[in-house]
Amino acid sequence: MSRSTDSLLNPSAKIALAVWSGIKENLIHTQPKKRPTYSPPLITLKATTMTILITGGTGKTGFKLAKLLHAANHSVLITSRKGVAPEPFKAVTFDWNDASTFENPFKADANINKVYLVAPSVFDALPVAKPFIDLAISKGVKRFVLLSATQLQKGGVFIGKIHEYIASLGVEYTVLRPTWFIENFGSLFIHSINNSNTVASVTKNGKIPFIGVDDIAKAAFDALLAEKSSNSDFYVVGPELLTYDQATEILSEVIGRKITHTHITNEQEQGFFRSIGMSPEYAAMLNGMEAAIADDAEEKLVGTSKTITGTHKLRDYFEANKALWTK
Ligand SMILES: NC(=O)c1ccc[n+]([C@@H]2O[C@H](COP(=O)([O-])OP(=O)(O)OC[C@H]3O[C@@H](n4cnc5c(N)ncnc54)[C@H](OP(=O)(O)O)[C@@H]3O)[C@@H](O)[C@H]2O)c1
């Protein structure tokens, strides 16, 4: 784990250091003959606070990551379209749809050296993200941790293109490629669960190593702080393989209400995705990623040398969040 000496200091020690540095400057310029009675170690005076920028920092993985970094006394800046984040975090206004906001993080903090990147959610994501990545590097960013997905290959569609671009730049990087989130049951599927007691998918009896966002945040934390950057990509999966039939059975047991997995066609799924605002290309891509589950595409990623395995389980998430599905 790599940390600057300063990042090991707690916040009050940092304030004391800042005050102390100011006092010292003042003493040098206005009272050259007087010496302070206490001299902190030279190494402490030279230390600089470096900041980790978390795009999508109000989102599922970004916010968990912000909390982990804060708890470990790292300086964190969050981006958000509204420019607000819950206490104690500092946020800046940032919108992928408005390139004039890309400078904001660097105006707010001149010491950003690492970025957690949650990509713009448009099919052709690279032209949107590239100006920000280039700007970040010009402002001193040395390391990126990019959130992608298991089925998005380097150089392929969507975030695969951003993966390829970052890997071509000679900067430090890690690409995290998680499987399907446990938390989708409390977001993507929440309306169908609560309105019609169903989860619809094209996955048939394919198994998924559902991953918790806490485990993704921990993988991002490790990648951001590793002394040596991996400059590679990793799948991030959970500890158990389950079909949607099994997952909905567990949910039914936990909430005491029958939830079923409805098997739908690719056409039905794409139509649904388009109906909630996705572009046809994005809807087809997402459907393709889900359909691959039926051919064991996610199951195959368990236990490979490129796989990080988390610890969080679906049942525990259901137990802890029962109220979400209580009608
Ligand atoms: N769900 C899955 O099963 C799954 C699986 C694998 C990979 N992924 C990937 O995970 C990523 C999503 O990560 P997440 O779940 O941590 O995020 P999330 O919970 O979906 O939150 C999205 C974040 O992006 C911000 N955001 C939304 N629109 C924005 C815009 N126009 N400009 C700038 N920021 C914007 C939001 O912040 P504000 O609202 O504050 O602006 C929010 O913090 C996606 O790239 C997805 O492909 C998801």
Side-chain angles (χ1 to χ4, degrees), residues 54-64 78-85 92-98 101-102 116-122 128 146-152 158-159 176-184 187-189 210-211 213 216 236 244 282 285-286 289 298:
I54 306 184
T55 64
T58 60
K60 290 190 286 299
T61 60
F63 195 58
K64 296 273 184 188
I78 278 177
T79 73
S80 156
R81 283 167 297 178
K82 288 192 176 141
V84 286
V92 284
T93 305
F94 178 94
D95 190 335
W96 286 118
N97 298 319
D98 179 1
T101 64
F102 292 1
Y116 177 66
L117 200 61
V118 176
S121 52
V122 287
V128 181
L146 171 67
L147 180 63
S148 184
T150 46
Q151 299 305 320
L152 296 174
F158 186 35
I159 306 173
L176 297 176
R177 297 172 61 186
T179 186
W180 298 79
F181 294 1
I182 286 175
E183 287 74 10
N184 289 343
S187 51
L188 193 63
F189 296 133
F210 290 103
I211 181 75
V213 292
I216 301 169
V236 190
Y244 271 112
Y282 198 98
M285 173 192 70
L286 202 55
M289 287 163 68
E298 297 296 315

Side-chain angles (χ1 to χ4, degrees), residues 54-195:
I54 306 184
T55 64
T58 60
K60 290 190 286 299
T61 60
F63 195 58
K64 296 273 184 188
L65 171 63
K67 288 205 257 189
L68 284 179
L69 289 166
H70 179 72
N73 282 334
H74 290 274
S75 169
V76 164
L77 181 64
I78 278 177
T79 73
S80 156
R81 283 167 297 178
K82 288 192 176 141
V84 286
E87 288 290 329
F89 297 103
K90 237 174 82 179
V92 284
T93 305
F94 178 94
D95 190 335
W96 286 118
N97 298 319
D98 179 1
S100 73
T101 64
F102 292 1
E103 288 257 7
N104 290 349
F106 310 102
K107 283 182 191 158
D109 190 325
N111 292 317
I112 296 167
N113 70 339
K114 295 177 183 173
V115 174
Y116 177 66
L117 200 61
V118 176
S121 52
V122 287
F123 184 74
D124 202 7
L126 180 61
V128 181
K130 185 176 176 298
F132 172 71
I133 294 166
D134 294 345
L135 176 70
I137 292 170
S138 78
K139 298 288 184 184
V141 169
K142 303 276 184 272
R143 181 177 297 191
F144 291 88
V145 173
L146 171 67
L147 180 63
S148 184
T150 46
Q151 299 305 320
L152 296 174
Q153 314 301 332
K154 178 181 174 185
V157 296
F158 186 35
I159 306 173
K161 292 258 187 296
I162 301 178
H163 178 166
E164 180 182 52
Y165 183 62
I166 289 177
S168 76
L169 295 173
V171 289
E172 297 179 345
Y173 75 94
T174 296
V175 180
L176 297 176
R177 297 172 61 186
T179 186
W180 298 79
F181 294 1
I182 286 175
E183 287 74 10
N184 289 343
F185 288 88
S187 51
L188 193 63
F189 296 133
I190 193 162
H191 294 298
S192 66
I193 292 171
N194 287 343
N195 295 337

